[in-house]
Amino acid sequence: RYHTGLAAELLTRVGNLYLRNNDTDQATRFFTAALRIAGERHDALLEAYMMAQLGYAGLKGDRAEALQKFRAAYDQFLSFRYAPGIAYALYSLGVIAEQENRLTDALQLYTAAVTEQEKILTVRSAGALFTDCERSAARVPGEDPSQALISLLLQLGRPEDAFAYQQRRNSRAFMLHLSAGEFVNLTQAEDSLLALCVDMQALHRS
């Protein structure tokens, strides 16, 4: 059972690499294999993530099928109230809505995703498997629900709302890192605060 779990993780990580490189056929092959193992192991969380990853792998082809997979992933994440997964699935549904120019729907989905994202009270490891899944699917490096929401608000001509969400994002990031004890001394904390202020000033100027 340990070996099948390791195999599923390796398949997922290789699939993520292919997804980052836009080789969706190979990504689909690896995600499908990981999904099969997840089913055999009754690993519902991995199954949900593989549904989402398969949605992204097929997004440039059959958008309706990708939408179905994102909804299936959302339902599964929702069934055990896994906030990071719910946020990821809502973000993914928002991506499709934005691509289809359903901007009101996209705005609602991104906002709901941010609400779920803000329920996460710990810093997530960048190297964790599911974090890697989310990052591999981002439209631009590092994009997450709050960044997608801020970008859409600016696109819709709502800079004040975008600025408010950027403030919330920055404050939350600072508090998470502070609570995790990642600042060794006051200088590091001050540098982090300064960086957040610079980000907000840049957004305000935009």
Side-chain angles (χ1 to χ4, degrees), residues 46-89:
L46 181 59
E47 279 186 310
Y49 269 99
M50 289 306 94
M51 291 300 293
Q53 298 309 92
L54 284 167
Y56 277 105
L59 192 55
K60 292 181 180 179
D62 190 340
R63 191 177 293 171
E65 185 176 349
L67 181 63
Q68 184 179 13
K69 284 183 167 58
F70 290 151
R71 285 175 174 163
Y74 171 77
D75 289 340
Q76 193 139 323
F77 287 131
L78 189 64
S79 70
F80 40 83
R81 300 302 309 167
Y82 183 65
I86 296 171
Y88 182 44

Side-chain angles (χ1 to χ4, degrees), residues 12-13 15-22 31 53 56 88 129-140 142-143:
T12 300
R13 290 191 184 277
N16 288 341
L17 285 172
Y18 279 119
L19 187 61
R20 283 189 178 93
N21 291 315
N22 295 313
F31 292 145
Q53 298 309 92
Y56 277 105
Y88 182 44
L129 180 61
F130 298 141
T131 307
D132 185 54
C133 289
E134 294 165 21
R135 292 189 173 193
S136 72
R139 292 176 295 183
V140 294
E143 184 180 64

Side-chain angles (χ1 to χ4, degrees), residues 57-186:
L59 192 55
K60 292 181 180 179
D62 190 340
R63 191 177 293 171
E65 185 176 349
L67 181 63
Q68 184 179 13
K69 284 183 167 58
F70 290 151
R71 285 175 174 163
Y74 171 77
D75 289 340
Q76 193 139 323
F77 287 131
L78 189 64
S79 70
F80 40 83
R81 300 302 309 167
Y82 183 65
I86 296 171
Y88 182 44
L90 288 167
Y91 162 79
S92 304
L93 291 167
V95 167
I96 287 188
E98 192 172 354
Q99 287 182 348
E100 295 178 344
N101 205 36
R102 295 184 288 109
L103 300 186
T104 299
D105 290 342
L107 185 64
Q108 292 175 345
L109 288 161
Y110 290 152
T111 302
V114 169
T115 298
E116 291 296 326
Q117 187 180 44
E118 290 177 344
K119 295 177 183 177
I120 304 168
L121 302 178
T122 57
V123 177
R124 300 175 71 205
S125 170
L129 180 61
F130 298 141
T131 307
D132 185 54
C133 289
E134 294 165 21
R135 292 189 173 193
S136 72
R139 292 176 295 183
V140 294
E143 184 180 64
D144 65 1
S146 61
Q147 287 175 313
L149 176 59
I150 291 164
S151 177
L152 182 56
L153 285 168
L154 289 173
Q155 182 183 334
L156 294 172
R158 294 171 55 179
E160 292 183 0
D161 291 335
F163 186 68
Y165 272 104
Q166 184 67 55
Q167 286 182 308
R168 282 170 57 172
R169 172 185 172 82
N170 289 350
S171 297
R172 178 175 175 272
F174 180 77
M175 292 306 298
L176 284 176
H177 289 291
L178 187 65
S179 65
E182 294 185 3
F183 301 130
V184 177
N185 52 51
L186 285 174

Side-chain angles (χ1 to χ4, degrees), residues 8 15 32-34 57-58 119 190 203:
T32 300
K119 295 177 183 177
E190 289 170 357
L203 178 65

